[in-house]
Amino acid sequence: MRAPAGAPPVAVAVVIPARDEEALLPAALASVRAAAGHPGVGATPVLTVVVADTCTDATAAVARAAGAQVVPVGFRNVGRSRAAGVLTALSFFGDVPGPVWIASTDADSTVRPDWLAHQLARAAEGWDAVVGTVTADRWPPGKPHLAARYHRLYETTRPPSGRPWHHPHVHGANLGVGSRAYTAAGGFPPAALDEDRGLVDALERTGARILRTADCPVTTSTRTTPRAQGGFGDHLANLERAVPPLAASSGEPVS
C-alpha cells in the first residue's frame, strides 16, 4: 500500500539527543555518516544535529569532531532536546525550496547504511512519517532468558513470514517525518518520556500518512542503566526482573 505522492524532501536533518554519550556516540555518528553517503540519498544535503543535554563529558567535542552541528542545552528532557534539534535544523535549512525530512535516532544506536535512503524512498511515495523498529545488540553475557523474552514480547503481533508487519512500536531511535507534517502536529512534545509516541499520536490526530514498517530496523543498546528513566533501558531491566534465569532456562512459562 502506498500513500498519495507528495512533494519529495529537498534536505535531510538527522537529530540525535545525547547525554554523556562520549563512548557510544562515535559509532552512532559513523553509521549516520555512512547512511548519508548511500547512493539512494544522492545529492540531497544531510545535516546531523546532536543535542548535548546537560553533558559533563566530551559528548559535544566528539560530535563536533565528527562534523555534526552541536546544540548544548540543560533540559534533562528528551522531548525538549529532540524539539530543539529539529528547530536548529529547520532554521539551518530555512531557505530550501521544499520540505525537509527529519530523521530521528539515538546516541546509543546505529543505523543501517540504507536507513536514510529507505526513509527518503518512502517519503517519495507520499508517506508523511515512517515509524520503524529496533533490534537489540550485544546482550549481556549469561542472560539468554532476557533476550528470549524481549524478542517474544516485541514480535507478538508479527504476521506469518512474507506479510508486512504494521507493528505497534514507536522508537525515537528509528523515526522519520516530513517537516510539514511535523509542524502541523506541533512537533515533539516537551515530555521526559514517550516523546516519540506523543509525536506519532499527534501525527495521527492531524491526519498524517504514517507508515509503520519493520523493513529497516535500527540497532540499539541493551544497557539496563539508561540515561532516561522509564525508557527502553528500564523496560529491559523490568523484563530481567520479571523472568528469573532458572525459570527461563528450565522451559517454564515466562509470559
Side-chain angles (χ1 to χ4, degrees), residues 140-161:
K143 296 184 179 180
H145 59 289
L146 176 57
R149 180 165 175 78
Y150 166 78
H151 287 299
R152 183 170 64 256
L153 293 177
Y154 192 84
E155 304 214 349
T156 295
T157 62
R158 186 188 284 271
S161 179

Side-chain angles (χ1 to χ4, degrees), residues 76-124:
R76 295 180 181 269
N77 180 295
V78 68
R80 293 180 66 188
S81 292
R82 288 197 201 274
V86 174
L87 180 61
T88 296
L90 295 184
S91 297
F92 180 89
F93 286 124
D95 295 331
V96 297
V100 175
W101 187 259
I102 302 160
S104 170
T105 190
D106 286 339
D108 66 342
S109 302
T110 55
V111 304
R112 296 190 346 179
D114 62 342
W115 182 62
L116 291 177
H118 166 76
Q119 292 196 9
L120 286 176
R122 305 294 77 76

